[in-house]
Short mmCIF file of all heavy atoms in Angstrom, two decimals:
data_model
loop_
_atom_site.label_atom_id
_atom_site.label_comp_id
_atom_site.label_asym_id
_atom_site.label_seq_id
_atom_site.Cartn_x
_atom_site.Cartn_y
_atom_site.Cartn_z
N GLY A 2 0.80 -1.24 0.06
CA GLY A 2 -0.01 -0.07 -0.08
C GLY A 2 0.84 1.29 -0.02
O GLY A 2 2.08 1.22 0.30
N LYS A 3 0.24 2.36 -0.20
CA LYS A 3 0.93 3.73 -0.23
C LYS A 3 1.34 3.94 1.14
O LYS A 3 0.76 3.79 2.10
CB LYS A 3 -0.15 4.73 -0.69
CG LYS A 3 0.52 6.11 -0.95
CD LYS A 3 -0.46 7.09 -1.39
CE LYS A 3 0.27 8.44 -1.55
NZ LYS A 3 -0.57 9.45 -2.06
N ALA A 4 2.56 4.42 1.29
CA ALA A 4 3.32 4.68 2.45
C ALA A 4 2.73 6.03 3.13
O ALA A 4 2.60 6.95 2.28
CB ALA A 4 4.78 4.78 2.34
N LYS A 5 2.51 5.99 4.41
CA LYS A 5 2.34 7.14 5.13
C LYS A 5 3.64 7.64 5.72
O LYS A 5 4.21 7.01 6.56
CB LYS A 5 1.22 7.05 6.25
CG LYS A 5 -0.10 6.58 5.61
CD LYS A 5 -1.06 6.17 6.77
CE LYS A 5 -2.31 5.66 6.22
NZ LYS A 5 -2.27 4.17 6.20
N LEU A 6 4.09 8.87 5.43
CA LEU A 6 5.41 9.19 5.66
C LEU A 6 5.45 10.35 6.80
O LEU A 6 4.53 11.15 6.88
CB LEU A 6 6.20 9.85 4.46
CG LEU A 6 6.31 8.98 3.28
CD1 LEU A 6 6.94 9.64 2.06
CD2 LEU A 6 7.09 7.66 3.61
N VAL A 7 6.30 10.31 7.71
CA VAL A 7 6.47 11.26 8.79
C VAL A 7 7.95 11.56 8.74
O VAL A 7 8.91 10.77 8.92
CB VAL A 7 6.21 10.62 10.18
CG1 VAL A 7 6.58 11.69 11.21
CG2 VAL A 7 4.68 10.25 10.16
N ASN A 8 8.35 12.89 8.29
CA ASN A 8 9.75 13.41 8.28
C ASN A 8 10.48 12.52 7.31
O ASN A 8 11.67 12.20 7.49
CB ASN A 8 10.38 13.57 9.56
CG ASN A 8 9.74 14.63 10.48
OD1 ASN A 8 9.19 15.53 10.03
ND2 ASN A 8 9.73 14.27 11.72
N ALA A 9 9.85 11.99 6.27
CA ALA A 9 10.60 11.13 5.20
C ALA A 9 10.13 11.46 3.87
O ALA A 9 8.99 12.08 3.67
CB ALA A 9 10.27 9.67 5.64
N SER A 10 10.95 11.04 2.90
CA SER A 10 10.54 11.12 1.47
C SER A 10 11.41 10.06 0.75
O SER A 10 12.28 9.62 1.18
CB SER A 10 10.74 12.58 0.90
OG SER A 10 12.16 12.93 0.92
N GLY A 11 10.93 9.90 -0.50
CA GLY A 11 11.76 8.98 -1.47
C GLY A 11 11.86 7.50 -1.00
O GLY A 11 12.77 6.80 -1.23
N ILE A 12 10.82 7.06 -0.41
CA ILE A 12 10.66 5.66 0.02
C ILE A 12 10.48 4.79 -1.24
O ILE A 12 9.45 5.06 -1.87
CB ILE A 12 9.69 5.37 1.14
CG1 ILE A 12 9.85 6.31 2.35
CG2 ILE A 12 9.59 3.86 1.50
CD1 ILE A 12 11.16 6.00 3.11
N HIS A 13 11.25 3.76 -1.50
CA HIS A 13 11.15 2.84 -2.65
C HIS A 13 11.20 1.45 -2.18
O HIS A 13 11.70 1.13 -1.17
CB HIS A 13 12.18 3.12 -3.71
CG HIS A 13 12.13 4.46 -4.31
ND1 HIS A 13 11.33 4.73 -5.41
CD2 HIS A 13 12.73 5.77 -3.95
CE1 HIS A 13 11.50 6.03 -5.85
NE2 HIS A 13 12.31 6.58 -4.85
N VAL A 14 10.49 0.51 -2.98
CA VAL A 14 10.29 -0.81 -2.57
C VAL A 14 10.92 -1.70 -3.66
O VAL A 14 10.77 -1.56 -4.82
CB VAL A 14 8.86 -1.22 -2.43
CG1 VAL A 14 8.66 -2.66 -2.20
CG2 VAL A 14 8.30 -0.36 -1.36
N ASN A 15 11.76 -2.72 -3.12
CA ASN A 15 12.17 -3.82 -3.99
C ASN A 15 11.82 -5.13 -3.48
O ASN A 15 11.70 -5.31 -2.31
CB ASN A 15 13.73 -3.75 -4.18
CG ASN A 15 14.32 -2.63 -5.00
OD1 ASN A 15 13.71 -2.43 -5.96
ND2 ASN A 15 15.42 -2.20 -4.46
N VAL A 16 11.33 -6.04 -4.29
CA VAL A 16 10.85 -7.32 -3.89
C VAL A 16 11.76 -8.43 -4.58
O VAL A 16 12.01 -8.43 -5.72
CB VAL A 16 9.31 -7.53 -4.25
CG1 VAL A 16 8.99 -8.89 -3.84
CG2 VAL A 16 8.58 -6.46 -3.55
N SER A 17 12.10 -9.50 -3.67
CA SER A 17 12.69 -10.59 -4.19
C SER A 17 12.05 -11.94 -3.57
O SER A 17 11.48 -11.80 -2.48
CB SER A 17 14.18 -10.67 -4.06
OG SER A 17 14.41 -10.63 -2.62
N VAL A 18 12.12 -13.06 -4.24
CA VAL A 18 11.49 -14.26 -3.76
C VAL A 18 12.53 -15.38 -3.82
O VAL A 18 13.19 -15.52 -4.99
CB VAL A 18 10.25 -14.62 -4.62
CG1 VAL A 18 9.71 -15.96 -4.18
CG2 VAL A 18 9.19 -13.54 -4.56
N GLY A 19 12.73 -16.03 -2.92
CA GLY A 19 13.72 -17.24 -2.85
C GLY A 19 12.74 -18.45 -2.85
O GLY A 19 11.96 -18.67 -2.07
N GLY A 20 13.19 -19.41 -3.72
CA GLY A 20 12.40 -20.66 -3.76
C GLY A 20 13.10 -21.86 -3.28
O GLY A 20 12.62 -23.01 -3.46
N GLY A 21 14.26 -21.75 -2.72
CA GLY A 21 15.08 -22.83 -2.28
C GLY A 21 16.05 -23.44 -3.28
O GLY A 21 16.02 -22.95 -4.44
N LYS A 22 16.79 -24.38 -2.98
CA LYS A 22 17.71 -24.99 -3.90
C LYS A 22 17.19 -25.47 -5.12
O LYS A 22 16.26 -26.34 -5.04
CB LYS A 22 18.48 -26.04 -3.11
CG LYS A 22 19.58 -26.75 -4.05
CD LYS A 22 20.31 -27.73 -3.13
CE LYS A 22 21.27 -28.53 -4.00
NZ LYS A 22 21.94 -29.59 -3.39
N GLY A 23 17.66 -25.00 -6.39
CA GLY A 23 17.14 -25.57 -7.55
C GLY A 23 15.94 -24.97 -8.08
O GLY A 23 15.31 -25.41 -9.08
N VAL A 24 15.23 -24.07 -7.32
CA VAL A 24 13.92 -23.59 -7.71
C VAL A 24 14.23 -22.09 -8.08
O VAL A 24 14.61 -21.41 -7.44
CB VAL A 24 12.98 -23.66 -6.54
CG1 VAL A 24 11.60 -23.01 -7.02
CG2 VAL A 24 12.68 -25.07 -6.11
N LYS A 25 13.64 -21.82 -9.33
CA LYS A 25 13.81 -20.56 -9.98
C LYS A 25 12.46 -19.84 -9.90
O LYS A 25 11.40 -20.59 -10.09
CB LYS A 25 14.41 -20.48 -11.29
CG LYS A 25 15.69 -20.91 -11.43
CD LYS A 25 16.21 -20.88 -12.85
CE LYS A 25 17.77 -21.38 -12.96
NZ LYS A 25 18.18 -21.24 -14.27
N THR A 26 12.35 -18.57 -9.59
CA THR A 26 11.02 -17.87 -9.58
C THR A 26 11.04 -16.68 -10.40
O THR A 26 12.08 -16.19 -10.74
CB THR A 26 10.76 -17.41 -8.09
OG1 THR A 26 11.84 -16.54 -7.63
CG2 THR A 26 10.47 -18.58 -7.21
N ALA A 27 9.95 -16.32 -10.83
CA ALA A 27 9.64 -15.09 -11.71
C ALA A 27 8.95 -14.15 -10.71
O ALA A 27 7.82 -14.42 -10.25
CB ALA A 27 8.92 -15.35 -12.92
N VAL A 28 9.47 -12.93 -10.70
CA VAL A 28 8.82 -11.84 -9.91
C VAL A 28 8.37 -10.76 -10.87
O VAL A 28 9.21 -10.16 -11.51
CB VAL A 28 9.76 -11.26 -8.79
CG1 VAL A 28 9.19 -10.06 -8.04
CG2 VAL A 28 10.24 -12.36 -7.91
N LYS A 29 7.17 -10.49 -10.79
CA LYS A 29 6.58 -9.39 -11.65
C LYS A 29 6.08 -8.34 -10.61
O LYS A 29 5.08 -8.27 -9.95
CB LYS A 29 5.37 -9.99 -12.42
CG LYS A 29 5.76 -11.05 -13.41
CD LYS A 29 4.46 -11.57 -14.08
CE LYS A 29 5.03 -12.74 -14.99
NZ LYS A 29 3.88 -13.52 -15.32
N PHE A 30 7.01 -7.39 -10.40
CA PHE A 30 6.87 -6.23 -9.53
C PHE A 30 7.75 -4.98 -9.94
O PHE A 30 8.85 -5.31 -10.33
CB PHE A 30 7.30 -6.69 -8.09
CG PHE A 30 6.97 -5.66 -7.14
CD1 PHE A 30 5.70 -5.59 -6.51
CD2 PHE A 30 7.89 -4.73 -6.59
CE1 PHE A 30 5.30 -4.69 -5.49
CE2 PHE A 30 7.61 -3.70 -5.62
CZ PHE A 30 6.32 -3.71 -5.11
N PRO A 31 7.20 -3.89 -10.00
CA PRO A 31 8.00 -2.75 -10.51
C PRO A 31 9.05 -2.49 -9.56
O PRO A 31 8.72 -1.66 -8.59
CB PRO A 31 6.94 -1.70 -10.60
CG PRO A 31 5.80 -2.09 -9.82
CD PRO A 31 5.89 -3.56 -9.62
N GLN A 32 10.25 -2.96 -9.70
CA GLN A 32 11.45 -2.90 -8.66
C GLN A 32 11.67 -1.35 -8.67
O GLN A 32 11.74 -0.65 -9.57
CB GLN A 32 12.65 -3.70 -9.14
CG GLN A 32 12.30 -5.17 -9.25
CD GLN A 32 11.87 -5.79 -7.88
OE1 GLN A 32 12.61 -5.34 -6.91
NE2 GLN A 32 11.09 -6.74 -7.89
N GLY A 33 12.06 -0.98 -7.42
CA GLY A 33 12.43 0.31 -7.11
C GLY A 33 11.40 1.33 -7.19
O GLY A 33 11.63 2.53 -7.27
N SER A 34 10.08 0.90 -7.14
CA SER A 34 8.92 1.72 -7.35
C SER A 34 8.66 2.48 -5.98
O SER A 34 8.98 1.87 -4.99
CB SER A 34 7.79 1.04 -7.88
OG SER A 34 7.33 0.18 -6.85
N PRO A 35 8.00 3.66 -5.98
CA PRO A 35 7.51 4.19 -4.77
C PRO A 35 6.53 3.22 -4.20
O PRO A 35 5.84 2.38 -4.93
CB PRO A 35 6.83 5.40 -5.23
CG PRO A 35 7.32 5.72 -6.67
CD PRO A 35 7.75 4.39 -7.17
N ALA A 36 6.51 3.13 -2.87
CA ALA A 36 5.63 2.24 -2.23
C ALA A 36 4.17 2.43 -2.73
O ALA A 36 3.66 3.63 -2.94
CB ALA A 36 5.54 2.39 -0.64
#
Protein backbone atom coordinates (compact mmCIF):
# COMPACT_ATOMS: atom_id res chain seq x y z
CA GLY A 1 0.00 0.00 0.00
CA LYS A 2 0.87 3.66 -0.26
CA ALA A 3 3.28 4.70 2.49
CA LYS A 4 2.30 7.23 5.14
CA LEU A 5 5.46 9.27 5.69
CA VAL A 6 6.54 11.23 8.76
CA ASN A 7 9.66 13.39 8.21
CA ALA A 8 10.56 11.17 5.27
CA SER A 9 10.52 11.12 1.48
CA GLY A 10 11.77 9.00 -1.39
CA ILE A 11 10.75 5.62 0.02
CA HIS A 12 11.12 2.90 -2.65
CA VAL A 13 10.34 -0.83 -2.60
CA ASN A 14 12.23 -3.80 -4.05
CA VAL A 15 10.88 -7.36 -3.86
CA SER A 16 12.71 -10.66 -4.25
CA VAL A 17 11.53 -14.23 -3.79
CA GLY A 18 13.64 -17.21 -2.83
CA GLY A 19 12.39 -20.65 -3.76
CA GLY A 20 15.07 -22.85 -2.26
CA LYS A 21 17.79 -24.95 -3.87
CA GLY A 22 17.19 -25.55 -7.56
CA VAL A 23 13.92 -23.58 -7.71
CA LYS A 24 13.78 -20.49 -9.90
CA THR A 25 11.04 -17.91 -9.53
CA ALA A 26 9.70 -15.11 -11.67
CA VAL A 27 8.85 -11.88 -9.89
CA LYS A 28 6.57 -9.41 -11.61
CA PHE A 29 6.86 -6.25 -9.51
CA PRO A 30 7.96 -2.75 -10.50
CA GLN A 31 11.35 -2.86 -8.73
CA GLY A 32 12.48 0.36 -7.09
CA SER A 33 9.00 1.78 -7.35
CA PRO A 34 7.53 4.14 -4.79
CA ALA A 35 5.54 2.18 -2.21
